[in-house]
Amino acid sequence: MSDPETLSVTIVDGYVDEPAHFGVPPYISTYPRYTAGALVDAGVPREEITYHTIDGLRDEPDRWRDVDEADLLIYLGGMTVPGKYVGGTPAEPDEVRKLAWTASGTSLMGGPVKFGVGEENAGATETERQDLDFDFVAKGDVEAAVHDVVESGLEGFDNRMRDVDEVSRWAREGAFIVEQHPNHPEYLIAELETSRGCAYRCSFCTEPLYGNPTFRPPPSVVGEVDALSDLGVKHFRIGRQADILAYGGDGEAPNPDALRSLYGGIREVAPDLETLHLDNMNPITIVEWPEKSREGIRIIAEHNTPGDTAAFGLESADPLVQEENNLNVTAEECFEAVRIVNEEAGWRPGGPRDPRPDGHASADEDAPTRLPKLLPGINLLHGLKGEREETYERNLEFLRRVYDEGYMLRRVNIRQVMSFDGTEMSETGAEIANDHKKLFKRYKRQVREEIDNPMLARVAPTGTVLPDVHLEYHQDGKTFGRQLGTYPLLVGIPGERELGKTTDVAVVDHGYRSVTGVPYPLDLNAASMDELTTVPGIGSSTAGDIVVNRPYESVADAEFGGEVDLEGFATARPLERAD
């Protein structure tokens, strides 16, 4: 038997990406926080709990000593909807095995990895359940398994799910673990869970494996935010749910009162938060309960921060694919949901549609343009049962209609299916996705060129200001960074700037899924040639003239024939004179 008070525990975060849960940096998922809370609740002192990300182990090999010497090693990870990541690289199966081989004490693995492991973290793959040489695999909730295995003296546990009272305690008690995350506190966004499970049963999705929806009451979530806020966390994403509009109800119909308590409570305990975003919203909810949904969407837009995205799981606009995979929304219904979100939440702070009592009072013709408060994002999934060449054209038709009728999408997420045991897709596997790889690549390029580029220019027109862009890496003489939030825009800035800093940026050009920006405000008396020539219509000759004719008393004094009105995002600061 092991005494919890003398137990040393190492938690390794290999990162997660699930249909309703994100944990690749700069995100921190709920798993390490709840696990830490469960350990404390079971009697393990906080000072005996060490947390590392998989990137931290890669960067500093000496940290592997904590894996080796721990009485209990806990690995948390699993990718069920993998994508492309900038802030971190999820653990590969061979790295997870190395953790088990290195651990001298008891080893326990949990998280979505329990659903299966592929040869790599990628779409169009088939998975199988593996223990990856760990002593224990939590097939229920890993935090419940951790709590029980400690109480048993590391002898074992029952595979069970934790209850609401437990998660309410563990969420608060485990908040301290964020202080050990390498991104803490400036560049860390905490994923928040409001519910688990789903009322629907789409063929490919692992979320229904958690059962029907169960909800954490507002005080449970608000208490967690309060604890995280006290530890310096200022960025939050309400991402761990299948449908935010169904929060606090029967799992299907909207409950605006619950949303008001949730969002209002968060704003009360964290008044200085800098990001409050969400992830999943079911378009069928909006169509079936339009008035309650409109009220819920207005509540969200009142409390959130700009640039928020409501991910819509359309998955396919093809009726045949919809039928064969139990998809719950048609293309027509999804279009109606896109329209409603645009109408209720597609306004910009300080803009002409700002519905807040002081919105128009704060509006100023010289005020910078901001991103809309909340827009839909579309998820499209390929390799599903029944997919055919016509499927790709129907998806394109849907996206073209949204654009042609003047609505906005924050992003279009296109991926290929992964097949997991326990889902209907396990019978089909990745065969269709692999057969259609060439078709998929051509279609994906079409979406990027025909939809993503012009849509991005609509969502973030030239002059749009993106505050607090975190500078992450250098490439081709530019510095790239992102804001914290749901699906943040990748921003390229001329020149190699100091990484790890933040800067305000004004958008000047658009790619497929990224934008080019210049520091905001752009000072004409100090801007570099690279910054000036990035602005559309200002070539090297005009930029040279601007530099030669400095200083300027105002932006209007700088005469040039550019395509863009600089008045909205440029300035002419007086030059500092030497004493």
Side-chain angles (χ1 to χ4, degrees):
M1 295 288 288
S2 299
D3 182 356
E5 292 188 0
T6 63
L7 205 65
S8 65
V9 183
T10 295
I11 299 171
V12 175
D13 190 349
Y15 312 142
V16 301
D17 193 353
E18 301 181 84
H21 201 177
F22 201 42
V24 181
Y27 291 85
I28 182 170
S29 74
T30 64
Y31 289 111
R33 290 152 31 211
Y34 293 180
T35 297
L39 288 167
V40 171
D41 197 35
V44 180
R46 286 187 179 186
E47 58 269 20
E48 294 297 327
I49 302 171
T50 301
Y51 169 78
H52 292 304
T53 65
I54 190 66
D55 283 312
L57 294 180
R58 292 172 182 139
D59 294 341
E60 297 186 33
D62 286 348
R63 294 181 178 182
W64 281 88
R65 184 180 298 113
D66 293 328
V67 175
D68 177 21
E69 296 177 353
D71 296 316
L72 175 61
L73 167 70
I74 302 165
Y75 170 74
L76 307 168
M79 318 298 289
T80 61
V81 284
K84 294 182 178 180
Y85 310 105
V86 175
T89 302
E92 293 288 351
D94 284 346
E95 291 179 304
V96 182
R97 287 190 183 92
K98 181 182 176 182
L99 288 167
W101 298 338
T102 303
S104 298
T106 301
S107 60
L108 187 154
M109 175 176 70
V113 68
K114 69 185 180 184
F115 295 127
V117 180
E119 294 181 2
E120 59 178 338
N121 295 319
T125 57
E126 298 179 17
T127 68
E128 60 178 340
R129 289 187 170 95
Q130 299 180 33
D131 64 12
L132 297 175
D133 297 326
F134 274 68
D135 296 325
F136 295 110
V137 178
K139 296 183 174 64
D141 280 327
V142 63
E143 54 268 34
V146 165
H147 177 273
D148 295 351
V149 80
V150 170
E151 285 202 331
S152 76
L154 305 186
E155 295 297 324
F157 56 88
D158 292 327
N159 285 304
R160 69 177 181 89
M161 309 301 279
R162 36 81 171 169
D163 60 35
V164 171
D165 288 339
E166 286 177 322
V167 74
S168 297
R169 290 199 311 275
W170 297 346
R172 291 197 69 132
E173 291 178 354
F176 74 93
I177 210 72
V178 299
E179 294 185 302
Q180 298 185 43
H181 195 288
N183 287 31
H184 179 270
E186 290 86 4
Y187 194 37
L188 187 66
I189 181 166
E191 188 85 328
L192 300 176
E193 173 190 316
T194 64
S195 70
R196 291 194 309 178
C198 186
Y200 304 98
R201 297 293 183 268
C202 300
S203 68
F204 61 91
C205 189
T206 56
E207 191 60 24
L209 300 180
Y210 289 102
N212 290 324
T214 57
F215 300 97
R216 294 174 63 193
S220 175
V221 182
V222 171
E224 180 181 6
V225 172
D226 192 15
L228 290 166
S229 179
D230 287 345
L231 292 163
V233 177
K234 293 184 178 293
H235 306 275
F236 303 92
R237 189 180 88 141
I238 305 172
R240 183 69 177 93
Q241 70 275 314
D243 180 9
I244 186 62
L245 288 179
Y247 171 70
D250 62 4
E252 296 184 48
N255 185 342
D257 289 339
L259 286 172
R260 190 174 288 107
S261 296
L262 175 68
Y263 274 86
I266 290 173
R267 280 292 193 172
E268 184 175 347
V269 299
D272 297 325
L273 65 80
E274 296 176 9
T275 304
L276 181 58
H277 282 182
L278 61 89
D279 191 5
N280 295 303
M281 184 181 289
N282 198 332
I284 197 63
T285 304
I286 299 173
V287 175
E288 294 193 355
W289 293 277
E291 293 311 312
K292 282 190 173 182
S293 294
R294 284 179 181 272
E295 183 180 356
I297 292 165
R298 287 195 294 269
I299 291 167
I300 293 169
E302 176 187 352
H303 293 91
N304 71 351
T305 54
D308 201 357
T309 306
F312 281 3
L314 172 60
E315 315 305 354
S316 178
D318 185 344
L320 177 62
V321 177
Q322 292 165 2
E323 181 179 356
E324 293 207 17
N325 294 274
N326 302 318
L327 305 185
N328 61 46
V329 64
T330 67
E332 188 62 37
E333 290 168 333
C334 190
F335 181 85
E336 175 66 7
V338 166
R339 182 180 69 83
I340 288 173
V341 173
N342 269 260
E343 289 176 353
E344 298 295 343
W347 50 272
R348 303 174 192 269
R353 290 178 54 204
D354 191 333
R356 297 171 299 179
D358 61 345
H360 295 295
S362 64
D364 185 335
E365 289 184 1
D366 296 328
T369 301
R370 296 291 301 277
L371 289 174
K373 266 307 197 84
L374 175 68
L375 293 177
I378 299 296
N379 295 340
L380 295 171
L381 183 60
H382 290 274
L384 295 171
K385 291 183 292 183
E387 182 176 283
R388 49 193 173 156
E389 189 166 352
E390 183 180 338
T391 303
Y392 293 83
E393 186 54 41
R394 283 182 176 269
N395 286 353
L396 281 165
E397 287 175 0
F398 170 82
L399 296 173
R400 289 171 183 142
R401 181 186 176 194
V402 171
Y403 182 79
D404 290 345
E405 296 204 20
Y407 297 115
M408 292 184 287
L409 298 175
R410 172 55 194 84
R411 62 102 180 99
V412 180
N413 187 19
I414 303 171
R415 61 186 178 87
Q416 290 181 293
V417 72
M418 292 183 77
S419 173
F420 290 92
D421 287 343
T423 69
E424 290 183 22
M425 276 303 298
S426 63
E427 301 173 7
T428 304
E431 181 179 349
I432 295 173
N434 287 319
D435 288 346
H436 291 175
K437 274 193 176 292
K438 288 186 179 180
L439 184 61
F440 177 78
K441 288 182 179 180
R442 184 174 72 243
Y443 148 87
K444 193 172 182 178
R445 185 173 62 252
Q446 280 184 279
V447 173
R448 299 301 179 232
E449 294 174 353
E450 295 181 27
I451 306 298
D452 284 346
N453 180 257
M455 184 66 76
L456 191 52
R458 179 178 291 173
V459 171
T462 298
T464 299
V465 173
L466 308 176
D468 298 322
V469 173
H470 292 255
L471 306 181
E472 295 178 303
Y473 65 95
H474 297 139
Q475 183 176 312
D476 300 330
K478 296 182 180 180
T479 303
F480 289 85
R482 298 173 297 172
Q483 294 176 297
L484 281 174
T486 292
Y487 309 107
L489 286 170
L490 181 64
V491 184
I493 307 168
E496 294 194 350
R497 299 172 179 273
E498 183 179 354
L499 301 182
K501 301 293 185 180
T502 62
T503 186
D504 296 346
V505 172
V507 175
V508 294
D509 202 2
H510 308 85
Y512 297 149
R513 308 192 75 183
S514 63
V515 296
T516 300
V518 293
Y520 173 81
L522 181 65
D523 183 3
L524 294 186
N525 286 331
S528 68
M529 286 285 291
D530 284 342
E531 290 168 348
L532 290 169
T533 55
T534 297
V535 179
I538 299 182
S540 57
S541 177
T542 303
D545 291 342
I546 292 175
V547 170
V548 168
N549 293 320
R550 288 169 176 169
Y552 302 100
E553 294 293 329
S554 68
V555 175
D557 290 341
E559 297 182 2
F560 62 94
E563 300 172 5
V564 177
D565 181 9
L566 287 180
E567 294 280 355
F569 60 90
T571 188
R573 293 192 179 99
L575 294 177
E576 295 183 2
R577 300 183 183 276
D579 293 334

